Amino acid sequence: MGIDNQTWVREFILLGFSGDWDTQVTLFVLFLVTYMVTVLGNFLIVLLIRLDSRLHTPMYFFLTNLSLVDVSYATSIVPQMLVHFLAKCKVISYMSCAAQLFFSLGLGGIEFVLLAVMAYDRYVAVCDPLRYSVIMHGGLCTRLVITSWVSGSINSLMQTTITFHLPMCTNKFIDHISCELLAVVRLACVDTSSNEIVIMVSSIVLLMTPFCLVLLSYIKIISTILKIQSTEGRKKAFQTCASHLTVVVLCYGMTIFTYIQPHSSPSVLQEKLISIFYAILMPMLNPMIYSVRNKEVKGAWQKLLGQLSGLMSKLAS
């Protein structure tokens, strides 16, 4: 039967996690609290960096962008998911689905490139510290951030356009929590081999290329650290990279596992759990990782809390 004779869908139904009402209410409360912590945590990190002049460095300029990306990514998925937890009919319009895919895919891509940029920043800080301020000047940092945003957005626009040009016919049930790329592609009533090839190529370009740059940066960083004579010096050098390295391991791991081989991708349940990890847990964990494992951020928190305590004491007296 030809495609022209098929009925095209104008909306989709997201199947989500469970049809049980009690389970959905529990998940609603859990994810709502987590989302609020995510927004608050990232907002406080951005505010702290803005207020403390000691944090006006390239590393924290990149961290500000990372926090903005995390909040935006969570916002592209979580609010709609919360509404659907309490809705009987979990409908999302065709255009809303396309918009959600565009923003979530774009912001995810931006984060991967941004993490590679941050790895380069750490490489310069450890391997060429005397020229750090000369190399990582404001103009370069701005261009690197713009490159991250533009590359992620272009990839997302291409993927979204190709995906939503597929004929979806009468199949409108998306077995996922959101309009995720592979879940939408599976709805097509035509052969999607070419789409899967595009996904793989895109993954190599926007995921594996930054990952290889991160890997190369850390090979050079570790090599440099091992050449440092004093134990204290090695410890200090490693601490400058610890937070970023932790985020890199968490962020790249599951995405490589999910997208690099579409034909051997995880089960639908695993895909949903991975989406939850990136939409809720990663954006919440990032500010915590940078706060707990970073002495400069902890020092800035202590300074800010001390100032607030002093202000409150004056107001009380």
Side-chain angles (χ1 to χ4, degrees):
M1 183 163 51
I3 292 174
D4 291 338
N5 294 328
Q6 301 279 359
T7 303
W8 288 59
V9 298
R10 296 183 179 180
E11 61 184 21
F12 299 101
I13 297 176
L14 294 165
L15 299 182
F17 271 116
S18 170
D20 180 69
W21 174 251
D22 292 336
T23 302
Q24 291 191 81
V25 171
T26 302
L27 291 175
F28 172 84
V29 174
L30 177 62
F31 291 160
L32 176 61
V33 172
T34 307
Y35 177 66
M36 292 172 65
V37 171
T38 296
V39 173
L40 180 62
N42 283 282
F43 171 76
L44 289 176
I45 282 287
V46 173
L47 181 63
L48 185 68
I49 293 170
R50 293 283 295 175
L51 293 177
D52 197 314
S53 59
R54 295 175 300 176
L55 301 182
H56 293 175
T57 64
M59 175 182 175
Y60 295 105
F61 172 64
F62 298 137
L63 180 56
T64 297
N65 278 270
L66 183 65
S67 291
L68 293 175
V69 169
D70 281 338
V71 169
S72 300
Y73 184 83
T75 302
S76 72
I77 294 176
V78 179
Q80 164 260 310
M81 185 171 60
L82 292 174
V83 170
H84 281 186
F85 277 139
L86 303 181
K88 290 184 178 180
C89 189
K90 307 177 194 308
V91 175
I92 183 169
S93 70
Y94 187 91
M95 291 305 298
S96 295
C97 188
Q100 185 180 66
L101 178 60
F102 170 77
F103 285 111
S104 60
L105 199 60
L107 291 163
I110 292 167
E111 180 154 353
F112 296 133
V113 180
L114 196 56
L115 287 173
V117 168
M118 295 173 77
Y120 175 70
D121 172 72
R122 293 300 83 202
Y123 158 73
V124 177
V126 173
C127 300
D128 200 357
L130 297 179
R131 296 201 307 139
Y132 177 76
S133 58
V134 176
I135 297 173
M136 300 303 296
H137 56 84
L140 177 62
C141 293
T142 301
R143 287 196 294 272
L144 289 172
V145 166
I146 291 173
T147 300
S148 302
W149 284 82
V150 170
S151 58
S153 300
I154 290 175
N155 173 70
S156 178
L157 180 61
M158 178 190 69
Q159 293 275 24
T160 303
T161 302
I162 293 173
T163 299
F164 279 87
H165 266 80
L166 288 170
M168 303 298 177
C169 307
T170 57
N171 188 4
K172 62 180 181 178
F173 293 93
I174 301 178
D175 193 5
H176 212 278
I177 60 169
S178 65
C179 290
E180 193 266 348
L181 181 59
L182 295 178
V184 175
V185 169
R186 280 195 291 264
L187 297 183
C189 54
V190 294
D191 179 46
T192 59
S193 300
S194 59
N195 290 77
E196 291 174 354
I197 292 172
V198 170
I199 293 171
M200 182 176 292
V201 172
S202 173
S203 299
I204 292 171
V205 172
L206 204 65
L207 175 59
M208 293 308 296
T209 301
F211 177 72
C212 289
L213 293 174
V214 170
L215 194 61
L216 181 62
S217 296
Y218 273 101
I219 288 173
K220 292 183 176 292
I221 287 170
I222 293 170
S223 176
T224 300
I225 290 175
L226 292 176
K227 293 177 183 177
I228 298 174
Q229 297 293 327
S230 67
T231 304
E232 185 63 28
R234 287 197 296 269
K235 183 179 179 182
K236 184 177 180 180
F238 179 75
Q239 284 176 341
T240 65
C241 308
S243 298
H244 177 259
L245 184 58
T246 303
V247 172
V248 163
V249 171
L250 290 172
C251 191
Y252 278 100
M254 285 193 181
T255 304
I256 292 173
F257 176 66
T258 307
Y259 288 104
I260 207 63
Q261 292 182 331
H263 280 297
S264 57
S265 58
S267 68
V268 172
L269 178 58
Q270 285 176 314
E271 285 183 9
K272 293 177 184 180
L273 293 175
I274 290 169
S275 293
I276 289 294
F277 177 80
Y278 282 109
I280 295 182
L281 293 181
M282 272 302 298
M284 182 183 69
L285 289 174
N286 281 350
M288 294 181 181
I289 291 170
Y290 276 96
S291 296
V292 172
R293 300 186 64 90
N294 193 299
K295 287 185 177 181
E296 292 175 323
V297 174
K298 286 193 287 187
W301 278 123
Q302 291 170 355
K303 179 183 176 182
L304 180 60
L305 291 174
Q307 291 174 341
L308 290 174
S309 178
L311 181 61
M312 294 299 291
S313 298
K314 287 181 181 180
L315 290 175
S317 60

